[in-house]
Amino acid sequence: MNYENLLVQNEDGIVILTVNREKALNALNTQTMLELKHFFTEDAPKIEGLKGIIITGAGEKAFVAGADIKEFLQLDAEKGREMAARGHEVFFAIERFPKPVIAAVNGFALGGGCELAMACHLRIAGEKARFGQPEVNLGIIPGYGGTQRLVHYIGRTKAMELLMTADMIDAQQALDLGLVNHVVAAGEEVTKAKELLQKIAGKGPVAIQKVIECVNACFEDGVNGFDYEVKAFGETTATEDFKEGAAAFIKKRKPNFKGK
Ligand code: CAA
């Protein structure tokens, strides 16, 4: 697919996906959401030697400032429901992606932007990053998973406050609350994300995929995460990677995982 609003750079298996609508602070319009869905469901799974994906925003000001408010005027109950349901599909595709996806948050991550960052497996915040769910300022609520994932990450008490006050928090507060994994100097977000992906790329790829599945299972309706872990553990013990990992440990050498 030729993307209008996404830039895709593949650097030796680390793909940097940039939401590229700088003039609109990278707001997620319908086209961008379609492109994100296509990328994660069609294109990314076919990338040979993929180590992981880093999502960031174009320019220095914003990661993503939310869903595109300029498209909101045509919404009604039916279209609003459809918009939220489509958004959930896209963000679940990111959350369930079998390789690590890291948000490199370089500025405002508001509304759908905070929700996009939360759908990623890890989050790196630059010092200028700001997070918030300001939807109630507009008289709506978050529609791309914010009322759920924010609670999972920072707990009910603070999530309720941020969702009701629309307050923004800075990178350090996001770190203190457990919303982000690391805070780095402005401009260093992608570098730190690459460093993490390189480290993870040295581990067993099937094991990494199963970690993602099991952690997600913790929050999936109707799924018992412990049962899921039992099944997934069994599956990892049947891999060639496990035999290689154990043999390498015993022979005191580095493992050479094949992802099988
Ligand atoms: N949608 C569309 N355009 C947006 C936008 C958004 N979410 N956020 C910013 N822009 C546009 C502005 O309209 C402006 O465009 P023009 O130059 O054409 O006027 C441009 O980006 C620059 O923005 P500002 O002039 O407002 O920049 P600022 O520095 O004064 O303020 C800001 C920055 C605090 C991020 C402010 O832009 C802002 O509050 N943006 C909206 C944030 C928001 O409410 N996000 C939630 C959206 S709803 C949502 O996401 C629902 C959901 O869960 C699915």
Side-chain angles (χ1 to χ4, degrees), residues 77-131:
E78 179 68 23
K79 287 183 185 147
R81 254 198 311 273
E82 283 167 13
M83 174 187 159
R86 279 197 307 270
H88 280 226
E89 263 182 50
V90 179
F91 287 12
F92 275 129
I94 296 173
E95 190 167 71
R96 292 171 183 160
F97 195 72
K99 303 272 180 180
V101 183
I102 305 186
V105 182
N106 51 314
F108 289 112
L110 302 176
C114 188
E115 291 168 303
L116 174 61
M118 290 194 289
C120 297
H121 303 127
L122 301 169
R123 282 154 295 287
I124 310 299
E127 279 167 342
K128 290 192 196 153
R130 296 286 178 277
F131 298 83

Side-chain angles (χ1 to χ4, degrees), residues 31-227:
Q31 177 65 22
T32 310
M33 291 299 279
L34 284 173
E35 292 181 11
L36 278 172
K37 182 172 178 194
H38 188 91
F39 179 77
F40 278 96
T41 58
E42 302 286 333
D43 288 350
K46 294 182 195 135
I47 298 173
E48 291 283 327
L50 181 65
K51 291 176 180 152
I53 295 166
I54 298 169
I55 305 182
T56 195
E60 290 178 7
K61 195 165 166 181
F63 171 69
V64 164
D68 193 317
I69 299 168
K70 289 172 186 162
E71 289 185 341
F72 279 10
L73 292 179
Q74 31 112 12
L75 290 180
D76 56 25
E78 179 68 23
K79 287 183 185 147
R81 254 198 311 273
E82 283 167 13
M83 174 187 159
R86 279 197 307 270
H88 280 226
E89 263 182 50
V90 179
F91 287 12
F92 275 129
I94 296 173
E95 190 167 71
R96 292 171 183 160
F97 195 72
K99 303 272 180 180
V101 183
I102 305 186
V105 182
N106 51 314
F108 289 112
L110 302 176
C114 188
E115 291 168 303
L116 174 61
M118 290 194 289
C120 297
H121 303 127
L122 301 169
R123 282 154 295 287
I124 310 299
E127 279 167 342
K128 290 192 196 153
R130 296 286 178 277
F131 298 83
Q133 296 290 163
E135 286 87 347
V136 291
N137 286 334
L138 302 169
I140 53 170
I141 65 165
Y144 294 164
T147 63
Q148 305 302 296
R149 290 194 180 93
L150 194 62
V151 180
H152 296 163
Y153 287 123
I154 71 171
R156 185 168 171 164
T157 305
K158 278 312 271 188
M160 191 71 94
E161 181 183 339
L162 292 183
L163 289 162
M164 292 202 294
T165 60
D167 280 350
M168 272 190 232
I169 55 170
D170 65 20
Q172 187 57 48
Q173 288 170 303
L175 183 70
D176 294 344
L177 287 170
L179 183 57
V180 302
N181 298 82
H182 299 275
V183 177
V184 296
E188 294 297 312
E189 304 87 4
V190 170
T191 307
K192 179 69 186 178
K194 281 184 192 168
E195 194 186 300
L196 280 173
L197 285 181
Q198 290 293 8
K199 184 185 271 190
I200 296 167
K203 317 298 176 195
V206 180
I208 297 300
Q209 178 179 346
K210 295 295 170 192
V211 165
I212 292 170
E213 288 177 14
C214 287
V215 173
N216 286 345
C218 188
F219 301 103
E220 299 254 357
D221 257 0
V223 177
N224 182 312
F226 288 99
D227 291 345

